[in-house]
Amino acid sequence: MRTSPFVWWLVCCVVVAPAAAADPGPGLDEAAPAPLSARLCSPDPAVHGPAQEEIVSLGPEERAGLVAALVGALARPDPAQGAVVFALAEIGPDAAPAAGALARLVRGDGVHASLVRDWAAFALGRIGPGAAEAVPALVATRADANPGLRLQCR
């Protein structure tokens, strides 16, 4: 029995092509993943979500280097600020050097200000006593119009 050309085409498209794409073969380097700090600063949840899960496996020295990179990212007002703030909250007490930048976000304004302010207050709470320098910014929110922020700052 002879196999039709259509069947061969179908086998190549369904079986051979995907397998070849999945295996780059010997001598071909795969692209290195972006650094963790770059992935955490991505506005794409499919990128920064898995990156946030990597934080728990970092040692103290790696976290310190990551915090420095993330503080620099907080200076840029963009949609990724929320992801960066959440990463700092995940780091917790080791993110104490970010307290000043987070306090500025609690006081800040901008396109994403309402949610970012709430999340920054949450991150300061996760940092704990190491965020003492942010207390004046948190106290100032008691009269804020944003009920979510007032709740985070009490």
Side-chain angles (χ1 to χ4, degrees):
M1 173 181 245
R2 189 170 161 224
T3 307
S4 78
F6 173 75
V7 171
W8 285 115
W9 174 83
L10 186 60
V11 167
C12 286
C13 290
V14 174
V15 177
V16 176
D23 180 19
L28 297 177
D29 293 330
E30 291 184 29
L36 182 57
S37 60
R39 288 181 284 138
L40 287 169
C41 295
S42 170
D44 183 1
V47 175
H48 70 248
Q52 287 176 339
E53 294 173 10
E54 289 180 43
I55 292 172
V56 295
S57 66
L58 298 177
E61 289 135 15
E62 294 168 307
R63 284 180 179 217
L66 182 60
V67 169
L70 294 177
V71 168
L74 286 178
R76 296 187 311 262
D78 63 29
Q81 272 187 338
V84 173
V85 170
F86 259 65
L88 290 166
E90 186 67 34
I91 292 171
D94 290 337
L102 290 168
R104 283 189 292 280
L105 287 177
V106 167
R107 292 187 296 262
D109 56 8
V111 177
H112 306 284
S114 181
L115 284 176
V116 172
R117 291 175 74 204
D118 294 354
W119 296 339
F122 172 74
L124 288 166
R126 293 287 308 262
I127 292 170
E133 70 180 275
V135 170
L138 296 172
V139 170
T141 64
R142 284 193 264 175
D144 199 273
N146 180 344
L149 182 62
R150 288 195 314 266
L151 180 64
Q152 289 292 341
C153 295
R154 57 183 184 129

